[in-house]
Amino acid sequence: MAVAGLIAGLHIIPGLVNVYLLETADGLAVVDTGFARDTAKILDGIAAIGRAPEDVRHILLTHAHPDHIGGAAALRKRTGARVYAHGLDAPIIEAGGPARPIHAAPGLRNMIVAALLSRLPGKTAPTKVDGLLHDGVAVPFDDDILTIHIPGHCAGQVAFLWKRAGGILFAADACINRKGMVLAAAQEDVGEARSSLTRLAGYAFEVACFGHGPPIMAGADREFRKRWL
Ligand SMILES: [Zn+2]
Ligand SMILES: [Zn+2]
């Protein structure tokens, strides 16, 4: 399945890392861009919803890990869209990596996964970041999409809260949804990651979308409070 509608105006291109297409107040926005190899799949998804590459006006990057920014340079070039990221991660995106060091979250499985992840190439195609995202401030092109800075997994990581359908949270890798919400295997700072999840649990949202794993389509804020408070 190349692309699936979640709710009106929101589409997911599912994969090892999820990519989202949002029909915003100012054209199509893409949240995260997958690995470099995912660009063709994203362009297919855009075509499948009846849009052209040029309809993509904005690329929102949640954090500077290769699985989320790998396709940003190619997608920016192909679409002419503006790229946005938090100021702490923008220099990594513009330099094409490497990301800051990450450590295993507690648990044996996380140790193994984090060790495997640390062996992946950390380099990405460099791309200009056209605009910075700020905590507690709407994204520059749509007043209905709030930026929430959620350091921990990555110091410059941001979530987005879209004022639609009772609230749609894009949680990035604050946690992953693998048969229930769990911390991602690799973290820059586990303590900060937990604080960020506590903070997210304080917002109201019906739907939660993750970088990894399927979305929660109803009562998502209650699930966050149950799991992270
Ligand atoms: Zn990540
Ligand atoms: Zn990720």
Side-chain angles (χ1 to χ4, degrees):
M1 172 180 44
V3 64
L6 292 176
I7 58 166
L10 173 62
H11 314 267
I12 182 172
I13 301 173
L16 201 57
V17 56
N18 298 316
V19 173
Y20 298 93
L21 306 178
L22 287 63
E23 295 174 26
T24 76
D26 185 39
L28 211 54
V30 179
V31 172
D32 285 337
T33 60
F35 290 99
R37 62 167 186 260
D38 293 329
T39 305
K41 192 171 80 168
I42 297 171
L43 291 169
D44 284 350
I46 291 163
I49 64 165
R51 299 298 201 100
E54 299 73 33
D55 294 336
V56 179
R57 304 280 309 271
H58 308 285
I59 297 169
L60 293 168
L61 299 175
T62 61
H63 63 296
H65 284 169
D67 53 331
H68 297 255
I69 66 169
L75 202 63
R76 180 178 182 273
K77 203 168 164 201
R78 182 70 183 82
T79 61
R82 290 170 64 81
V83 169
Y84 307 87
H86 190 273
L88 287 172
D89 278 16
I92 297 171
I93 296 163
E94 294 202 314
R100 285 174 296 267
I102 44 179
H103 320 283
L108 178 62
R109 184 185 183 282
N110 290 333
M111 263 176 68
I112 297 165
V113 175
L116 290 172
L117 288 175
S118 69
R119 282 192 219 155
L120 288 176
K123 286 292 195 183
T124 48
T127 184
K128 181 170 158 49
V129 174
D130 302 283
L132 296 181
L133 301 169
H134 304 279
D135 182 50
V137 178
V139 300
F141 57 90
D142 190 330
D143 286 345
D144 285 346
I145 304 176
L146 177 72
T147 302
I148 307 168
H149 182 212
I150 47 162
H153 170 69
C154 182
Q157 182 173 242
V158 293
F160 302 106
L161 183 57
W162 196 12
K163 284 185 212 154
R164 278 226 183 160
I168 303 167
L169 179 74
F170 297 89
D173 289 359
C175 59
I176 63 175
N177 192 21
R178 198 190 63 230
K179 295 178 190 158
M181 288 182 277
V182 292
L183 283 178
Q187 302 283 337
E188 285 185 23
D189 185 321
V190 177
E192 274 198 336
R194 291 190 188 283
S195 305
S196 288
L197 283 161
T198 303
R199 192 167 166 227
L200 287 180
Y203 287 90
F205 47 92
E206 191 61 24
V207 174
C209 296
F210 304 91
H212 306 278
I216 298 173
M217 291 304 294
D221 55 0
R222 287 194 300 278
E223 297 296 317
F224 265 68
R225 287 195 289 275
K226 247 193 283 173
R227 179 71 181 85
W228 302 115
L229 287 188

